[in-house]
């Protein structure tokens, strides 16, 4: 069988797969002052931000294995693509894959009252988050669409999981242009959401769940509790997609490879 190679765009991580050496029309290898020779797709060549300032990924074009469902660690996605869990190529992942996985993944290993999906957690958290981290919060649990929502006690028993999760997160954030400079704010909103969820879906008392919180954070948690309790019982796949299209950077929305 012909050996196939995937070349990855340094700018947006879109990919071109071929058994031949030639590049697709419009793609070029260019010289970058910091990274040396890099491969850029036609879209990134047209966007000066990728060429003249910051690259979303660094390094030269890297051949990677194309997951085809035959590998021991290949996972099939909603869109029909496959991803190798040991060396994930997120250029093959579409936002609908993420939305589908998060909408069907229950928080707290399902050990709650009712059904509360990760997608709902992300959407509501993005609503109470400061504007500059709303998109980052919406997408902060995105890899759980692939790796599942593993409860913290189980993560503590799986030392390799943190390494695998870190690899997936780094490539996922680059793929969907998720900013990572607001981690403290994202974590703060995540803690507020956890407190709200402890009240709304785990039946903890407000006094116990909100202990140690500031007045400002308690107010946000109360808003989240009310929103969670009034949220309709439905699939949260499309509300997640709608929120993505409200918040995603323009470059992401214009990139046909991140179409819903």
């Amino acid at each position: 069988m012909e050996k196939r190679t995937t070349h990855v765009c340094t700018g947006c991580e879109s990919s071109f797969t071929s058994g031949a050496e030639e590049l697709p029309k419009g793609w070029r290898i260019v010289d970058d002052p910091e990274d040396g020779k890099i491969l850029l797709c036609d879209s990134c060549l047209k966007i000066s931000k990728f060429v003249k300032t910051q690259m979303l990924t660094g390094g030269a074009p890297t051949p990677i294995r194309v997951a085809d469902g035959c590998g021991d660690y290949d996972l099939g996605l909603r869109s029909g693509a496959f991803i190798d869990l040991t060396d994930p190529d997120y250029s093959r992942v579409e936002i609908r894959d993420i939305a589908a996985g998060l909408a069907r993944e229950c928080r707290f290993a399902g050990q709650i009252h009712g059904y509360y999906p990760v997608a709902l957690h992300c959407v509501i958290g993005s609503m109470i988050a400061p504007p500059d981290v709303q998109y980052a919060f919406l997408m902060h649990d995105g890899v759980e669409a692939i790796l599942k929502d593993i409860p913290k006690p189980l993560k503590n028993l799986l030392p390799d999981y943190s390494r695998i999760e870190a690899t997936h997160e780094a490539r996922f954030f680059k793929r969907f242009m998720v900013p990572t400079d607001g981690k403290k704010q994202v974590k703060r909103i995540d803690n507020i959401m956890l407190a709200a969820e402890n009240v709304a879906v785990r039946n903890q008392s407000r006094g116990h769940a909100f202990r140690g919180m500031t007045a400002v954070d308690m107010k946000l948690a109360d808003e989240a509790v009310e929103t969670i309790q009034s949220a309709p019982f439905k699939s949260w796949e499309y509300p997640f997609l709608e929120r993505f299209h409200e918040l995603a950077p323009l470059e992401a929305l214009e990139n046909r490879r991140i179409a819903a």
Side-chain angles (χ1 to χ4, degrees), residues 49-65:
K49 121 178 219 186
F50 289 111
V51 179
K52 296 178 181 177
T53 56
Q54 175 184 352
M55 291 295 172
L56 294 177
T57 58
T62 306
I64 58 177
R65 174 181 171 270

Side-chain angles (χ1 to χ4, degrees), residues 2 5 11 23 25 44-45 62 79 81 91 101 104 127 129 135 139 168 190 196 212 214 217 224-225 238 243 249 257:
E2 180 186 21
T5 297
L23 296 176
K25 183 178 180 181
C44 289
L45 284 167
T62 306
S79 61
S91 70
R104 291 163 178 79
M127 293 166 61
Y135 180 60
M139 304 294 280
H168 279 255
D190 210 20
T214 66
D217 287 358
V225 169
Y238 290 104
R243 190 65 171 156
R257 301 176 185 88

Side-chain angles (χ1 to χ4, degrees), residues 8-253:
V8 182
C9 172
T10 308
C12 65
E13 289 195 313
S14 59
S15 60
F16 166 65
T17 304
S18 174
E21 293 297 326
E22 66 269 13
L23 296 176
K25 183 178 180 181
W27 287 46
R28 282 196 295 129
I29 294 177
V30 299
D31 289 314
D32 181 78
E34 295 183 1
D35 296 318
K37 292 189 180 297
I38 59 174
L39 176 65
L40 293 178
C41 68
D42 51 355
S43 297
C44 289
L45 284 167
K46 294 175 184 176
I47 302 175
S48 61
K49 121 178 219 186
F50 289 111
V51 179
K52 296 178 181 177
T53 56
Q54 175 184 352
M55 291 295 172
L56 294 177
T57 58
T62 306
I64 58 177
R65 174 181 171 270
V66 179
D68 55 6
C70 297
D72 291 341
Y73 305 105
D74 289 359
L75 177 71
L77 304 177
R78 166 77 172 273
S79 61
F82 290 89
I83 187 170
D84 183 342
L85 296 179
T86 65
D87 188 16
D89 175 8
Y90 271 86
S91 70
R92 302 168 63 79
V93 179
E94 298 183 15
I95 190 60
R96 58 176 170 161
D97 297 320
I98 303 303
L102 296 184
R104 291 163 178 79
E105 184 66 21
C106 189
R107 292 267 286 167
F108 308 109
Q111 301 302 310
I112 58 173
H113 299 271
Y115 184 75
Y116 182 72
V118 177
L120 181 52
H121 163 82
C122 294
V123 170
I124 293 178
S126 75
M127 293 166 61
I128 68 170
D132 59 337
V133 295
Q134 287 180 349
Y135 180 60
F137 190 87
L138 179 74
M139 304 294 280
H140 81 289
D141 280 336
V143 297
E144 292 183 4
I146 308 294
L147 299 180
K148 314 298 287 180
D149 180 26
I150 306 295
K152 186 65 177 292
L154 180 55
K155 282 186 182 181
N156 293 337
L157 295 172
L158 303 172
D160 282 342
Y161 182 86
S162 294
R163 174 184 55 79
I164 296 169
E165 183 181 43
T167 298
H168 279 255
E169 281 189 345
R171 298 184 186 185
F172 170 81
F173 288 158
K174 290 174 182 176
R175 163 70 167 116
F176 290 101
M177 304 178 187
V178 181
T180 58
D181 54 357
K183 288 183 178 180
K184 288 185 177 179
Q185 278 284 65
V186 169
K187 185 62 178 176
R188 171 180 165 247
I189 299 301
D190 210 20
N191 288 335
I192 292 172
M193 286 298 299
L194 176 60
E197 291 157 356
N198 282 337
V199 173
V201 301
R202 302 180 84 185
N203 283 0
Q204 290 185 11
S205 68
R206 183 180 180 278
H208 179 70
F210 290 7
R211 65 191 185 282
M213 296 177 67
T214 66
V216 172
D217 287 358
M218 279 193 276
K219 182 178 180 180
L220 290 175
D222 278 328
E223 291 178 14
V225 169
E226 184 177 344
T227 305
I228 292 169
Q229 292 177 336
S230 62
F233 184 79
K234 63 176 183 179
S235 169
W236 279 84
E237 179 177 349
Y238 290 104
F240 181 91
L241 286 172
E242 290 171 357
R243 190 65 171 156
F244 171 83
H245 282 284
E246 289 175 10
L247 300 176
L250 182 62
E251 300 96 312
L253 296 176

